[in-house]
Amino acid sequence: MSARQAAYCLKTDRYLEMSGFGCKFAKDMKSVTSDISVGATEERPARRPSIVLDAERGLRLLLPESSSDALAVAALRYFEDDMAVAPGMTVELPAFIEQARRIDPRFFVSPDAMYAILEERDSRRRAEVMSRTTDTAIESLLRVPVYPYVLEGIRFAFCSGRAVIANGNTAGNCLTAIGTSELLCRNGMAESVLIVCPTSLKYQWKSELERCAGRQALVIEGSHIGRRGRYHDKIVYKIVSYHTLANDVRAIGSQPFDCVIFDEVQRLSGWNKQISKALRHIEAEYCIALSGAGPKSVPADIFSRCRTLSIPSDVIAKQLPERTDVTLLVPMTREQQEIHGNAHDDASRLVSRWHSSRFLSEKERRRLLQAIIRMQLVSDSTFLVDRTGRHDTKIGEALEIVKASQGKAVIFSRRERMAELMAEELDRVGIKYEYIRGSVPRPRRLVAASRFMSAPDCRVLIAADSGVADLKIDRTGLIINLDRPWNPDAAEQRIGHLWHPGCGTKLRIVNMVSVGSIEEKVDAVARSGVSLPDYNENQITIDDSGLDILASAFGICEEKEPVYGGDIISEGVHFLASLSETMSSPESAERLLDSIVAENPATGRTELHIPVDSRDQVADFLYNISKIFGSLKR
């Protein structure tokens, strides 16, 4: 034995002696645990030559004292002196394993080590395929424009084999998954693809496969008995909801799928644990998980073996068609202000109490939630609150923007009642529109969306959020948000139905915000990057974390003495910035000027006329302006 071989064996024996690292045998002496750690094996050193997977140090070779010299010599090519696999040699280990078993039939490879070896070989093969695949070849797989970030996602998912795509903007996630699965099929690596998604998205996936790849897909639904055979259908793409799959896991049995796509995986945390447990029984060589809320929302226990790609939303935005966002500040009527003020006072008292005592009863939490929702509703229209009369300004402003615009427009609202008011106003002026909402069956919503995109005389699509969850809409250049979800991710998902790869249209977005309302506070918080809970009428109460967010984000805490300094300047800058945004909209600027600028017929001079409620209101305004500039002088 050479000096190096002797040193190698000596180092191996010392390593085993010091660490006690080895395999933990099961009762039948035929299997080992998949997670081998030093602490779990200190009392039982390796009894036979083995390759194991150390979670911290990777693949390692264990050679007991009884190992033959021939095995140590054979290992020199594949392993370094510390018994870790040599760089680049993982893919060559099958040859060593065959040689080692001829030398010593007892030679053992743990299951997780074998998985790592085979996965590395597959990864090397995919990398070789990808190195020969040009961007043009990938683009040819799809029938819609493929932006650079989508190409990056396809290459990443294909090379990874098991990947999580958790981009800051969900536009293109679906296309990334379709492109990856098509590339796998094109190279003979996949013949069956299972798409698992929320129930509301099943037919959107079906239509996206037809639109983007020209592929037919089978939606698995119906009775439990009827669904069994559909999993074995020869069609490549099959689509099933999470809840249906959880019920069918036993019926599927060991039915393998070459590739599984999990959509909207961030929703798993809010569903029952049975669904998460069911997903672990799905066997697939390749896995693609899509998250619409960033990588932190991905269940790590389910997708622990996946590599994650997250591209910032600002990077994606630069690659999509041009988009312009405008915040249009609209005043509230006196009736709106009165209802909003009363609800704000109630909310302020309750949040102030929470801020000081860290306690609110369940009834008080419920009352606070109702006050917040009341502020949300009246910011749109008093009709949403009492149904006895309608006082609002947003609908009139939206109507004027539609009249002044060219081309088609989509008007979004969180609530169907507000969408219905907008529809009534369009009926009144004779503008043709389509209206989609969640309470309408999906086939009828598809027909309405198709008519909007194809009919030249249909200028407007009114959409409640509940109606667009599973639709993609093209050929519109204007979005009017009568209101927006509080959560920025949800707001971007809404826009993503129109602003996505393949839309090919410059997009202008007008976000309406009622001045002095809770909407204005939410808009300021959203600009700072804080994610807010999206309260709605279906919620029952507010938890402690939600109360903390309200106390810090909206500032409705204890009454404090006014501070005339940085705060005053900040408010002044915010006012000027809001005015600038309002003037950036040509239609809004024109209406504002028409309402306050007029020619005096007696003198022929142009004068500024601003209607006010009282002389005191003007005095208050001038006093506040003087404080702003006074603080600047100081």
Side-chain angles (χ1 to χ4, degrees):
M1 181 181 296
S2 66
R4 183 184 175 194
Q5 294 167 0
Y8 182 85
C9 292
L10 178 61
K11 191 173 290 187
T12 301
D13 293 337
R14 285 179 179 173
Y15 175 80
L16 291 172
E17 181 180 354
M18 289 186 295
S19 68
F21 193 89
C23 297
K24 182 179 179 182
F25 288 85
K27 291 182 180 180
D28 59 2
M29 300 298 289
K30 293 182 179 179
S31 63
V32 296
T33 58
S34 59
D35 184 13
I36 301 176
S37 63
V38 173
T41 58
E42 287 180 351
E43 299 180 357
R44 182 172 293 179
R47 297 184 178 182
R48 53 180 172 171
S50 308
I51 295 178
V52 297
L53 179 65
D54 184 342
E56 296 180 357
R57 291 171 287 185
L59 292 168
R60 306 186 69 79
L61 175 65
L62 304 181
L63 291 179
E65 294 181 359
S66 59
S67 300
S68 67
D69 293 345
L71 187 57
V73 172
L76 289 176
R77 177 189 174 193
Y78 302 93
F79 296 90
E80 297 183 323
D81 289 349
D82 63 351
M83 293 169 292
V85 65
M89 296 305 295
T90 301
V91 295
E92 305 293 338
L93 285 181
F96 167 73
I97 294 171
E98 293 177 3
Q99 183 180 4
R101 285 175 174 170
R102 287 195 296 267
I103 297 172
D104 188 343
R106 299 180 306 149
F107 190 85
F108 177 76
V109 182
S110 68
D112 52 351
M114 183 61 76
Y115 178 90
I117 294 170
L118 298 179
E119 175 58 29
E120 181 66 21
R121 288 173 64 86
D122 282 337
S123 179
R124 175 73 65 87
R125 185 177 295 109
R126 292 193 301 271
E128 292 174 354
V129 170
M130 184 55 69
S131 67
R132 302 191 302 267
T133 304
T134 63
D135 289 348
T136 303
I138 297 176
E139 293 170 353
S140 67
L141 299 173
L142 303 169
R143 298 182 173 183
V144 296
V146 181
Y147 290 90
Y149 81 94
V150 175
L151 280 173
E152 181 182 351
I154 293 173
R155 290 186 177 278
F156 175 86
F158 182 84
C159 291
S160 300
R162 304 182 68 83
V164 173
I165 306 298
N167 292 332
N169 188 314
T170 59
N173 280 359
C174 175
L175 188 59
T176 299
I178 293 175
T180 304
S181 60
E182 284 293 293
L183 193 57
L184 290 169
C185 293
R186 174 72 63 89
N187 288 280
M189 299 178 182
E191 294 181 349
S192 60
V193 180
L194 181 67
I195 299 172
V196 190
C197 62
T199 303
S200 61
L201 300 181
K202 291 187 299 184
Y203 283 92
Q204 179 180 334
W205 270 98
K206 181 178 173 64
S207 61
E208 286 296 285
L209 283 166
E210 294 172 353
R211 183 178 74 94
C212 300
R215 288 276 197 173
Q216 295 297 315
L218 174 65
V219 177
I220 299 176
E221 56 189 1
S223 66
H224 178 70
I225 296 176
R227 294 196 303 264
R228 287 186 179 182
R230 296 184 181 180
Y231 289 99
H232 301 271
D233 194 281
K234 292 183 179 180
I235 194 169
V236 175
Y237 288 93
K238 303 174 185 67
I239 304 171
V240 66
S241 70
Y242 281 102
H243 292 83
T244 299
L245 182 66
N247 294 326
D248 291 351
V249 165
R250 291 184 179 179
I252 296 174
S254 59
Q255 164 71 15
F257 296 95
D258 297 322
C259 178
V260 178
I261 299 171
F262 296 100
D263 191 20
E264 297 286 335
V265 296
Q266 74 274 7
R267 301 193 189 186
L268 293 174
S269 58
W271 290 340
N272 65 68
K273 295 182 179 179
Q274 295 300 321
I275 295 177
S276 298
K277 290 180 180 179
L279 298 186
R280 295 185 177 90
H281 295 282
I282 303 301
E283 298 181 7
E285 181 72 19
Y286 307 105
C287 170
I288 305 169
L290 306 177
S291 171
K296 293 182 179 179
S297 64
V298 178
D301 57 331
I302 303 177
F303 302 102
S304 58
R305 291 183 180 270
C306 296
R307 294 175 58 199
T308 301
L309 173 67
S310 179
I311 303 176
S313 56
D314 56 342
V315 174
I316 296 175
K318 293 176 182 178
Q319 300 177 18
L320 288 170
E322 185 179 349
R323 164 180 163 181
T324 304
D325 290 66
V326 176
T327 298
L328 179 61
L329 299 175
V330 297
M332 290 193 292
T333 65
R334 183 176 301 177
E335 291 80 3
Q336 285 177 288
Q337 293 175 2
E338 182 178 355
I339 297 174
H340 190 281
N342 292 335
H344 184 274
D345 291 343
D346 290 342
S348 296
R349 284 192 295 269
L350 292 169
V351 175
S352 178
R353 179 175 176 183
W354 166 258
H355 183 75
S356 59
S357 66
R358 301 293 297 178
F359 174 79
L360 281 183
S361 69
E362 289 301 318
K363 291 182 180 179
E364 288 173 325
R365 291 169 189 249
R366 176 64 178 170
R367 195 163 74 245
L368 173 59
L369 177 62
Q370 291 174 333
I372 291 173
I373 293 173
R374 194 173 182 84
M375 285 188 282
Q376 289 180 339
L377 294 173
V378 78
S379 297
D380 282 344
S381 175
T382 58
F383 184 81
L384 305 186
V385 176
D386 51 28
R387 294 287 188 122
T388 58
R390 179 188 149 192
H391 300 277
D392 53 60
T393 55
K394 284 186 177 181
I395 293 176
E397 289 287 340
L399 183 62
E400 293 300 320
I401 294 174
V402 170
K403 288 179 178 178
S405 66
Q406 297 179 353
K408 296 178 180 290
V410 175
I411 302 178
F412 279 114
S413 176
R414 296 175 64 187
R415 298 172 178 85
E416 292 189 11
R417 283 180 290 173
M418 187 65 174
E420 290 168 0
L421 293 178
M422 189 72 240
E424 292 174 2
E425 196 69 14
L426 292 175
D427 282 331
R428 184 182 66 80
V429 298
I431 296 178
K432 190 172 182 181
Y433 64 91
E434 292 291 340
Y435 176 27
I436 57 177
R437 56 194 184 278
S439 57
V440 174
R442 186 177 188 278
R444 290 173 56 188
R445 283 185 281 135
L446 286 173
V447 171
S450 178
R451 280 200 299 261
F452 164 72
M453 290 186 287
S454 60
D457 59 338
C458 183
R459 295 186 55 199
V460 177
L461 176 68
I462 304 174
D465 277 348
S466 58
V468 297
D470 56 349
L471 298 180
K472 277 285 191 295
I473 302 166
D474 298 322
R475 302 175 189 174
T476 181
L478 173 64
I479 293 178
I480 301 175
N481 288 317
L482 295 177
D483 44 46
R484 285 189 297 174
W486 283 16
N487 188 310
D489 291 330
E492 284 301 316
Q493 283 184 325
R494 171 197 280 185
I495 295 171
H497 296 297
L498 289 85
W499 190 55
H500 54 81
C503 62
T505 305
K506 179 180 178 180
L507 188 61
R508 178 169 170 247
I509 302 170
V510 178
N511 302 306
M512 290 192 168
V513 176
S514 292
V515 177
S517 72
I518 196 171
E519 287 184 338
E520 194 170 16
K521 293 182 178 180
V522 170
D523 184 65
V525 173
R527 289 171 184 268
S528 68
V530 177
S531 182
L532 300 171
D534 207 355
Y535 298 112
N536 57 67
E537 295 92 327
N538 298 324
Q539 289 181 245
I540 303 300
T541 187
I542 302 177
D543 58 19
D544 290 357
S545 62
L547 291 172
D548 288 335
I549 290 174
L550 289 173
S552 62
F554 301 122
I556 41 181
C557 300
E558 300 98 336
E559 292 293 330
K560 297 181 179 180
E561 290 296 323
V563 179
Y564 305 128
D567 293 341
I568 292 295
I569 296 173
S570 176
E571 291 178 7
V573 171
H574 176 69
F575 165 76
L576 295 175
S578 300
L579 179 61
S580 174
E581 288 177 341
T582 301
M583 295 298 292
S584 65
S585 167
E587 297 85 4
S588 301
E590 191 66 26
R591 288 195 299 275
L592 177 62
L593 293 174
D594 287 343
S595 64
I596 63 176
V597 178
E599 182 178 325
N600 189 326
T603 63
R605 300 181 61 183
T606 301
E607 297 179 352
L608 180 68
H609 296 277
I610 302 178
V612 296
D613 292 335
S614 66
R615 185 174 182 274
D616 292 338
Q617 189 181 54
V618 178
D620 290 341
F621 172 76
L622 294 176
Y623 175 65
N624 287 325
I625 290 293
S626 69
K627 287 190 295 184
I628 293 173
F629 287 97
S631 61
L632 286 173
K633 289 180 179 180
R634 291 193 293 272

